[in-house]
Amino acid sequence: DQQVKQNSPSLSVQEGRISILNCDYTNSMFDYFLWYKKYPAEGPTFLISISSIKDKNEDGRFTVFLNKSAKHLSLHIVPSQPGDSAVYFCAASAAQGAQKLVFGQGTRLTINP
Amino acid sequence: NAGVMQNPRHLVRRRGQEARLRCSPMKGHSHVYWYRQLPEEGLKFMVYLQKENIIDESGMPKERFSAEFPKEGPSILRIQQVVRGDSAAYFCASSPQKGYEQYFGPGTRLTVT
């Protein structure tokens, strides 16, 4: 049962343009969402998060949007840079119980010069 | 401030041997989480620990796997009698308190031959 889904395994974007990565979830108990970036042979690096009481959170070039009614969130990166090429994971957690994270399968983003 | 430390980075074991993976959380962090990533998949939660306590082990296989986080020293993930299916990347994460972002270590890549 995949509670967090990233339906696009890969995405290719031209340098300077906007990258939009999408994530859907099924568990209505999730109330905190995070995006991580991962390079090969390294651990995931925290990028940005959003609580379910908000619909948008911005940090520099990164903005996360949350649509609770659609159970959908997206990460916008603008402008995209070559160093942004990596695998991006969406993750979710629920306040009840432990703060374990449920991850999506990841989207491989490639920024083309 | 050093990040999450994991060792060894690479571990090769023959079937039937034991594997011990170590994780030192970031300074000031008292919550530790273990995740496993199989090839081409997202990270899967295994266990959440605080000092001397297992809080949530709902993701741990029922047999052969155990985890601890003693009062002194690193957290240990122990896999007894390893099988080929245990080959994966094992990531440790830490957070200062429940409800905060989790910061990941570089991972231990276990190969079972």
Side-chain angles (χ1 to χ4, degrees):
Chain A
D1 178 26
Q2 191 70 28
Q3 298 184 69
V4 178
K5 295 181 182 179
Q6 293 176 257
N7 291 318
S8 298
S10 62
L11 176 67
S12 187
V13 174
Q14 195 169 0
E15 183 179 358
R17 297 287 183 97
I18 183 171
S19 295
I20 300 176
L21 296 100
N22 294 302
C23 178
D24 298 295
Y25 62 96
T26 57
N27 189 341
S28 57
M29 299 301 292
F30 289 147
D31 60 2
Y32 194 66
F33 304 89
L34 308 89
W35 284 94
Y36 286 85
K37 172 181 177 180
K38 187 179 181 303
Y39 294 118
E42 294 185 13
T45 301
F46 170 72
L47 275 177
I48 192 169
S49 61
I50 187 167
S51 164
S52 60
I53 62 172
K54 295 185 175 181
D55 54 20
K56 177 182 174 181
N57 189 25
E58 193 171 352
D59 184 1
R61 296 186 299 114
F62 302 92
T63 303
V64 56
F65 295 91
L66 176 62
N67 182 334
K68 282 190 295 182
S69 61
K71 293 191 176 66
H72 176 83
L73 64 157
S74 61
L75 174 68
H76 292 210
I77 307 172
V78 56
S80 300
Q81 300 174 354
D84 296 330
S85 295
V87 177
Y88 289 77
F89 290 98
C90 166
S93 71
Q96 294 181 357
Q99 295 299 110
K100 63 184 180 184
L101 297 179
V102 180
F103 281 84
Q105 310 96 307
T107 296
R108 183 178 302 277
L109 176 65
T110 302
I111 305 301
N112 301 308
Chain B
N1 185 13
V4 178
M5 310 284 282
Q6 287 189 251
N7 67 82
R9 293 292 307 273
H10 300 275
L11 182 62
V12 179
R13 285 287 178 266
R14 292 180 179 169
R15 278 181 297 170
Q17 292 185 319
E18 178 179 288
R20 280 186 181 238
L21 289 64
R22 294 174 185 78
C23 169
S24 296
M26 287 179 69
K27 187 176 180 180
H29 288 195
S30 58
H31 298 240
V32 166
Y33 311 79
W34 285 92
Y35 294 82
R36 175 166 67 173
Q37 184 183 25
L38 295 171
E40 305 303 321
E41 294 187 14
L43 284 73
K44 296 284 197 296
F45 169 80
M46 298 182 74
V47 63
Y48 163 34
L49 311 102
Q50 294 180 31
K51 285 286 187 181
E52 300 185 279
N53 286 306
I54 296 175
I55 307 301
D56 181 353
E57 56 181 347
S58 59
M60 288 277 271
K62 295 288 183 252
E63 297 177 351
R64 303 187 297 108
F65 285 71
S66 62
E68 62 177 7
F69 189 15
K71 187 176 180 181
E72 300 292 337
S75 175
I76 307 283
L77 179 68
R78 182 182 178 205
I79 310 172
Q80 295 178 290
Q81 299 176 312
V82 296
V83 300
R84 289 227 170 100
D86 297 332
S87 294
Y90 291 82
F91 292 97
C92 168
S94 72
S95 66
Q97 297 179 37
K98 181 178 175 179
Y100 280 66
E101 289 80 21
Q102 296 177 23
Y103 293 88
F104 283 80
T108 294
R109 275 142 192 89
L110 172 66
T111 302
V112 179
T113 61

